[in-house]
Amino acid sequence: MTKVADPMSDGPRTRLLQLSQERGASLASLSELLGRNTSYLQQFIRKGSPRKLEEGDRRTLAKFFGVGEGELGAPGDGIKENSYAKSPTLPESSEWVEVLRLDVGASAGSGAVPVGETAFDAFRFSRRWLAEQGLAGAQLSAITVEGDSMEPLLRDGDEILVDRRQQPFRDGVHVVRLSDTLMVKRVAQAGAGRFSLLSQNLSYPPVDVSAEEMEVIGRVVWKGGRI
């Protein structure tokens, strides 16, 4: 009787799934990072198609996760792949963490309908710096601020890091979803299962919502933008 191989038992597939879960990055967003169809990595892991990652895709994923390409199926010594130039990869002991930049805007105003969560690039952060900020193990993604309601704290065009870990709520600046809109606001508990969404720009009045109306996407932990 012929035994059919289970794609999920394959080392690189299992490792890729583990890394994506640890980082909190969906297989669809990682596929987009590679410039592939959103189901590309899902099919690779679940169905074993393609049989192995192409060298360029493997290199991109290894750099994003900060692991060696060998963990994702790179050939061992003495085995070479067709390549015009082989870029250096981050070692398994890499001191850097790459965070996806998502093609999503969170409105610092009345709210914006998000287009999607397509990754188009990544930031690289020092693993040590993240630990010093209390962000070791954080599930980070970067999105863009749209609008002026959070000025001067956050300005239109700033990029913010959002920690999407599930953790007890505490007052602070958060990205939240109301119905189909995505917003970045200072969120404060207002008692009895209600919250106030506060703007830094006093031209915008507070918005009072119930816990059922609002989904907290994550806490804003860092910002970057032009001076």
Side-chain angles (χ1 to χ4, degrees):
M1 181 175 179
T2 302
K3 184 177 180 180
V4 179
D6 178 4
M8 282 297 292
S9 67
D10 183 74
R13 292 179 170 81
T14 301
R15 182 57 175 149
L16 176 57
L17 182 60
Q18 179 187 33
L19 289 168
S20 68
Q21 292 173 341
E22 290 175 353
R23 178 66 66 85
S26 70
L27 295 176
S29 66
L30 292 172
S31 298
E32 292 279 1
L33 178 65
L34 300 176
R36 301 281 189 172
N37 182 284
T38 54
S39 63
Y40 174 69
L41 289 179
Q42 183 78 15
Q43 293 177 344
F44 170 68
I45 289 176
R46 301 294 181 185
K47 298 182 179 180
S49 176
R51 292 181 58 192
K52 65 177 182 178
L53 293 171
E54 292 188 10
E55 184 179 8
D57 293 342
R58 186 178 61 236
R59 182 185 305 127
T60 298
L61 290 170
K63 290 179 66 177
F64 172 71
F65 288 117
V67 300
E69 286 190 47
E71 294 191 33
L72 300 178
D77 294 339
I79 302 177
K80 297 183 178 180
E81 292 183 275
N82 294 328
S83 174
Y84 291 105
K86 192 172 182 64
S87 300
T89 61
L90 296 176
E92 296 181 23
S93 59
S94 171
E95 294 300 319
W96 302 95
V97 174
E98 293 197 5
V99 176
L100 285 176
R101 298 172 69 194
L102 303 181
D103 189 14
V104 175
S107 180
S110 58
V113 177
V115 175
E117 293 195 358
T118 301
F120 65 93
D121 197 3
F123 285 121
R124 180 182 290 188
F125 289 89
S126 158
R127 194 179 299 275
R128 177 178 177 179
W129 180 85
L130 289 174
E132 290 172 350
Q133 306 306 312
L135 298 175
Q139 296 178 5
L140 299 172
S141 54
I143 63 176
T144 303
V145 174
E146 298 177 350
D148 65 353
S149 80
M150 291 300 288
E151 291 186 355
L153 178 63
L154 301 175
R155 300 184 181 277
D156 183 50
D158 282 352
E159 290 193 73
I160 54 177
L161 285 189
V162 182
D163 183 0
R164 304 172 74 163
R165 284 180 294 184
Q166 295 295 318
Q167 50 192 328
F169 178 85
R170 57 190 175 94
D171 293 0
V173 179
H174 295 266
V175 173
V176 301
R177 191 189 306 274
L178 296 179
S179 299
D180 293 327
T181 64
L182 202 62
M183 309 172 72
V184 55
K185 297 289 183 184
R186 186 173 295 279
V187 183
Q189 298 182 74
R194 301 198 67 81
F195 295 85
S196 290
L197 306 184
L198 308 172
S199 300
Q200 295 292 113
N201 185 339
L202 298 182
S203 298
Y204 292 81
V207 176
D208 186 48
V209 298
S210 67
E212 292 74 21
E213 295 176 278
M214 178 184 71
E215 177 189 2
V216 178
I217 303 300
R219 185 179 183 87
V220 178
V221 294
W222 181 89
K223 69 170 184 176
R226 297 187 64 178
I227 297 176

